[in-house]
Amino acid sequence: MTDRYAVIGNPIAHSKSPLIHSAFAAQTSQDISYERILAPLDGFAEVAQSLAEQGYQGVNVTVPFKFDAFNFCDFKTPQAMRAGAVNTLKFTNHGVYGTNTDGDGLVRDIRHNLGVDIEGKRILLLGAGGAAEGVLQPLLAQLPAALVVANRTLDKAEKMVRKCKAGEVQVATCAYTELPETYFDIVINATSTGLSETALPIPAVYAAHCLAYEMMYGRDTLFMQHARAAGASVADGLGMLVEQAAEAFFYWRGVRPATQAVMDMLRAQ
Ligand code: ATR
């Protein structure tokens, strides 16, 4: 019997997850179906519960439900606990399991697909919302030399940094206007400014050979345009999208799909 999966979000019509998971399934000969499901803004738990009762094996969870999904699970992986949010649920006879594959997806895209080491590098993380929080701890686990979180609302950055486990890594917070120029090796935009085409008021923070990574995908944002003009190499979040999906597929099916062909397919569209 075909195993059923879905992605729940609001909005959801734009989601590329069905395409990605269908490609993974074809490549690994897994018999699954995968749908998009729109949940009302206050109705995540009801929709997830109903899917579990209908025999779905699992769901991906996207904006704005990753915190609802965190509260919905019975058991959480360390990745979910560190992020404080869940993007993948697995329904089993003994309860709902939740994990978060976003951070590992970003790290894998930067290291394996873009060929950039994080260890020993100076990292700037722009933003302190859910997207930033989801990737902060996985970035620290790669042992960068230093990581600075900058955010419009500085308190939020400070709160996020106070909660994280920095270990040996120097972690600091900073206002946008106080950032040092030409200092960072990797700059990650985890703000939602790409959606509104707002420019972040940051100086030219990019060191030579800097990677500027936009976590959004599908458009050349102002962040990408400014970083490119300042001489940085630029990447969008399409690789992260595919890598986080591959981690979710592995979590459900125990099989790791190859990602390059799927990224090429999406880029060609
Ligand atoms: P997400 O889950 O996508 O991270 P979020 O939790 O609403 O969404 O966080 C959005 C992030 O984008 C925050 O860091 C936010 O800054 P504030 O914490 O100061 O609100 C940032 N952001 C959104 N619009 C912005 C703007 N016009 N200028 C600067 N930062 C912006």
Side-chain angles (χ1 to χ4, degrees):
M1 224 171 71
T2 303
D3 289 335
R4 296 167 81 187
Y5 295 89
V7 56
I8 306 178
N10 186 335
I12 199 63
H14 67 284
S15 172
K16 293 190 188 302
S17 293
L19 201 60
I20 297 170
H21 282 279
S22 303
F24 288 162
Q27 183 203 113
T28 57
S29 305
Q30 299 281 306
D31 185 12
I32 71 162
S33 66
Y34 192 106
E35 302 149 56
R36 293 183 186 92
I37 293 185
L38 178 74
L41 290 176
D42 58 354
F44 173 79
E46 288 74 14
V47 170
Q49 186 61 38
S50 151
L51 296 178
E53 284 164 11
Q54 288 171 57
Y56 281 72
Q57 306 283 309
V59 290
N60 284 134
V61 181
T62 187
V63 175
F65 298 127
K66 292 181 189 183
F67 300 112
D68 299 86
F70 183 84
N71 294 325
F72 184 74
C73 355
D74 303 306
F75 307 101
K76 297 172 195 90
T77 62
Q79 286 88 338
M81 294 304 292
R82 286 190 308 236
V86 156
N87 76 341
T88 305
L89 293 176
K90 182 155 65 177
F91 302 134
T92 75
N93 292 336
H94 40 276
V96 178
Y97 287 73
T99 192
N100 192 314
T101 64
D102 287 332
D104 290 343
L106 171 70
V107 167
R108 225 182 137 75
D109 191 35
I110 292 177
R111 293 189 55 202
H112 294 263
N113 302 331
L114 300 168
V116 174
D117 263 337
I118 299 172
E119 189 176 344
K121 300 288 177 62
R122 289 165 303 198
I123 314 239
L124 172 60
L125 182 59
L126 300 166
E133 187 149 16
V135 300
L136 175 60
Q137 205 65 49
L139 287 168
L140 291 173
Q142 295 297 311
L143 302 180
L147 188 148
V148 175
V149 179
N151 194 43
R152 177 177 59 181
T153 315
L154 197 56
D155 303 2
K156 273 172 71 182
E158 283 165 359
K159 204 165 148 204
M160 187 171 95
V161 162
R162 268 200 300 276
K163 277 196 296 180
C164 80
K165 294 192 177 62
E168 303 284 292
V169 183
Q170 278 180 37
V171 183
T173 55
C174 194
Y176 288 136
T177 48
E178 287 160 6
L179 284 165
E181 288 202 18
T182 61
Y183 180 75
F184 294 99
D185 305 304
I186 303 176
V187 179
I188 300 167
N189 185 15
T191 73
S192 52
T193 48
L195 289 172
S196 57
E197 291 294 349
T198 315
L200 285 169
I202 56 172
V205 289
Y206 317 95
H209 311 295
C210 179
L211 170 67
Y213 194 101
E214 168 66 81
M215 279 174 56
M216 282 187 42
Y217 61 89
R219 63 173 89 174
D220 194 37
T221 64
L222 287 176
F223 167 77
M224 293 167 77
Q225 293 170 31
H226 291 168
R228 194 179 296 117
S233 305
V234 171
D236 73 359
L238 191 94
M240 175 180 173
L241 174 78
V242 175
E243 293 296 346
Q244 65 75 28
E247 294 285 333
F249 193 87
F250 180 70
Y251 184 65
W252 290 327
R253 311 298 298 179
V255 182
R256 191 171 286 285
T259 50
Q260 190 60 53
V262 179
M263 286 190 291
D264 293 345
M265 171 191 78
L266 293 176
R267 291 232 183 266
Q269 282 190 340

